[in-house]
């Protein structure tokens, strides 16, 4: 069994997709929680390749960049499609999720009070991209690419969970996405994790906004 460790602040943030992936794949991991005070001291920041967290350990191999970590886990657990074409499509979806996540994080951390309402108004455009992607694969009845789960599914579902907290009705005009989130979230190990304190008590973002 791989020895996985997440080194991160006490938030779901950029690590919840990897937690969903590891949970669903039956992998165990440890959490090394970095407090704001420890981070402020600067040693950990100086040691981080890009001066930021998360870091992730697979045994004695330490890596940075949340999407590289997701891809590493995808290679370990066969979550990167069945052939090169599927792998490229999965990358394409994941890059789209990253673009969407960056917009979300910008609003949360830089413009929550003044920008939240306008952000929510733009959501149908963002969500429409993913609704159409789903529709183009098996009529939206399965996964976002191919016929098996991939790391992009965990990343997309995590970001949709955050949006359902921000704007609970945001998926009402998107029947495929709505059913997809419910379907993935009700996979037995995920359902148990999502209702656990480990998930529910961990804040979504570091500034308390959600
Ligand atoms: N592209 C990086 C972004 C990492 C990032 O933004 N980390 C934030 C927390 S989510 C951080 O370390 N903030 C503290 C700092 O920059 O000093 C990734 O995906 O891992």
């Amino acid at each position: 069994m791989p020895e996985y460790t997440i080194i991160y602040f006490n938030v779901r943030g950029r690590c919840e997709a990897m937690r969903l992936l590891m949970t669903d794949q039956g992998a165990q991991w440890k959490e090394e929680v970095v407090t704001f005070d420890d981070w402020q001291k600067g040693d950990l920041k100086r040691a981080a390749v890009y001066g930021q967290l998360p870091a992730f350990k697979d045994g004695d191999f330490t890596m940075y960049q949340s999407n590289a970590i997701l891809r590493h886990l995808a290679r370990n657990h066969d979550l990167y499609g069945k052939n090169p074409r599927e792998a490229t499509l999965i990358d394409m979806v994941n890059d789209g999720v990253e673009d969407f996540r960056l917009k979300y994080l910008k609003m949360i951390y830089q413009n929550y009070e003044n920008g939240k309402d306008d952000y929510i108004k733009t959501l149908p455009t963002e969500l429409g991209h993913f609704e159409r992607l789903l529709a183009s694969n098996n009529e939206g009845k399965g996964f976002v690419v191919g016929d098996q789960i991939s790391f992009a599914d965990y990343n997309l579902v995590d970001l949709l969970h955050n949006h359902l907290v921000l704007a609970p009705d945001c998926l009402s005009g998107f029947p495929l996405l709505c059913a997809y989130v419910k379907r993935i979230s009700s996979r037995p190990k995920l359902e148990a994790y999502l209702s656990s304190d480990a998930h529910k008590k961990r804040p979504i973002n570091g500034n308390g906004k959600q």
Side-chain angles (χ1 to χ4, degrees), residues 7-11 32-45 51-53 109 203 205-208:
I7 303 162
Y8 196 42
F9 308 107
N10 182 36
V11 292
E32 268 182 33
V33 178
V34 175
T35 63
F36 187 66
D37 285 352
D38 276 347
W39 187 248
Q40 289 290 91
K41 288 177 193 153
D43 292 347
L44 288 168
K45 188 172 175 71
Q52 292 193 309
L53 295 176
Y109 283 100
N205 298 301
N207 62 355

Side-chain angles (χ1 to χ4, degrees), residues 8 11-15 52-54 66-67 97-113 119 123 155 158-159 162-163 166 203-207 209-210:
Y8 196 42
V11 292
R12 295 184 205 165
R14 284 189 166 277
C15 283
Q52 292 193 309
L53 295 176
S66 57
N67 287 293
V97 174
E98 174 63 16
D99 287 352
F100 187 14
R101 188 180 291 279
L102 286 171
K103 289 176 196 165
Y104 168 77
L105 292 174
K106 190 169 178 200
M107 181 277 294
I108 290 283
Y109 283 100
Q110 295 173 22
N111 199 20
Y112 186 84
E113 275 73 24
Y119 178 85
L123 277 182
N155 205 12
D158 170 54
L159 192 57
N162 293 355
H163 282 84
L166 178 78
I204 298 178
N205 298 301
N207 62 355
K209 313 270 198 259
Q210 60 179 32

